[in-house]
Amino acid sequence: MLKIIQQYFPGLLVCLVIAMSTSFLSDNYGGPQLLYALLIGLSLHFLYLNETVKPGIDFCAKTVLRLGVALLGIRITFADISAIGINTALIVIFAVAATVCLGYFLAKFLKLSPDLGLIAGGSVGICGASAALAVASVLPKTKENERFTLLVVVGVTVLSTIVMVVYPFALQLLDVAALPAGIFLGATIHDVAQVVAAGMLFGPEAGDVATVVKLFRVALLLPVVLVISIFFGAEKSSQKMGWGSLRLIPTFLLGFVALSVIASMQILPSSVTHSIGGASRWMLVIAIAAAGLKTNFQELAKLGWQPVVMLVVETLFIASIGLVFITNFE
């Protein structure tokens, strides 16, 4: 045990220091913590070449990531999901599924691997960087997938930050009421933090609605990643493809469901629930820092212009679905 701790500790410490630095930057100067973690990690890529810290960084990029995604479940309750209404729930489900499918077919159209389309579609459709990392974790581990995931994390975070500012003011110019505005913001902005910020920019009521709708989208992470794992996952080639592959369900997704059930039952003190949610956020920041440390800008540049086109098209696509819905909202 001591040997394992000694093996992972240096790399884990590097990722933790980056995460703490990004927390300071975000709290004091504003801006998305996840993006800071990624950019600092990318700038310190040379550390990954050191064999002393490499095992710990790999541990953070894989194991800590999966733990962070599992702990996200504590933020979702059945009451939150039911509060948004059946019509809103259906349109959100449709928007998520359509965006993931669009990513898959866009990748084929642009002559890219379908895996890359699933990562981009899941990221835009569900919850930004967290979804990109979760989807990538069940797909085959290739250097192309790793580089693309990093680019998606950067791109989706930047796009989410841009629309966080643009959408609320555009909705105010269109004289949209608080309830449909909150639905639109929650259904179309990629990252949870940016959804909350955009909702608050519009107003407190819109902020509450946007948060609930967004959490419902986060809840869809489970079925989406489950389906991707079964039909496109890393181990599908050695198994008969179909529902018989359910045993390949990643353990972290089961943890996600279990914590969502626990949150719905309200059997834990609010302080414990809040602490678990905070731990999830920290783990994802640490995992993204590790992902940044594992790659560099030269490798990202090799991916070309196609991924950027995919992310922009998918962002406009899901926004158009949300706009059509709130235009006809009663």
Side-chain angles (χ1 to χ4, degrees), residues 145-166:
N145 280 6
E146 288 186 359
R147 289 197 302 266
F148 185 82
T149 302
L150 264 293
L151 183 62
V152 167
V153 170
V154 173
V156 83
T157 306
V158 171
L159 284 173
S160 188
T161 303
I162 292 172
V163 299
M164 173 189 75
V165 177
V166 172

Side-chain angles (χ1 to χ4, degrees), residues 94-118:
F94 171 76
V96 169
T99 303
V100 174
C101 291
L102 176 65
Y104 178 83
F105 289 112
L106 270 178
K108 286 198 165 187
F109 178 76
L110 295 171
K111 302 188 186 306
L112 297 172
S113 166
D115 289 353
L116 309 187
L118 294 171

Side-chain angles (χ1 to χ4, degrees), residues 63-140:
T63 305
V64 174
L65 161 65
R66 294 189 171 205
L67 285 172
V69 173
L71 294 182
L72 271 178
I74 202 67
R75 302 176 61 177
I76 313 296
T77 67
F78 299 146
D80 290 334
I81 295 173
S82 63
I84 67 175
I86 186 64
N87 290 337
T88 301
L90 290 175
I91 198 65
V92 170
I93 292 171
F94 171 76
V96 169
T99 303
V100 174
C101 291
L102 176 65
Y104 178 83
F105 289 112
L106 270 178
K108 286 198 165 187
F109 178 76
L110 295 171
K111 302 188 186 306
L112 297 172
S113 166
D115 289 353
L116 309 187
L118 294 171
I119 294 170
S123 178
V124 173
I126 306 172
C127 54
S130 303
L133 294 168
V135 172
S137 69
V138 299
L139 291 173

Side-chain angles (χ1 to χ4, degrees), residues 153-197:
V153 170
V154 173
V156 83
T157 306
V158 171
L159 284 173
S160 188
T161 303
I162 292 172
V163 299
M164 173 189 75
V165 177
V166 172
Y167 285 176
F169 291 107
L171 292 170
Q172 288 173 347
L173 289 174
L174 294 172
D175 199 26
V176 178
L179 179 57
I183 292 173
F184 177 84
L185 295 173
T188 59
I189 298 178
H190 316 321
D191 189 73
V192 176
Q194 275 81 344
V195 167
V196 174

Side-chain angles (χ1 to χ4, degrees), residues 11 16 48 51 60 62 71 89 100 147 174 182 192 267 291:
L16 182 59
Y48 185 67
E51 292 299 325
C60 291
K62 183 178 180 180
L71 294 182
V100 174
R147 289 197 302 266
L174 294 172
V192 176
I267 59 177

Side-chain angles (χ1 to χ4, degrees), residues 21 69 103 125 154 203 227 318 330:
S21 301
V69 173
V154 173
V227 171
I318 197 170
E330 296 181 359

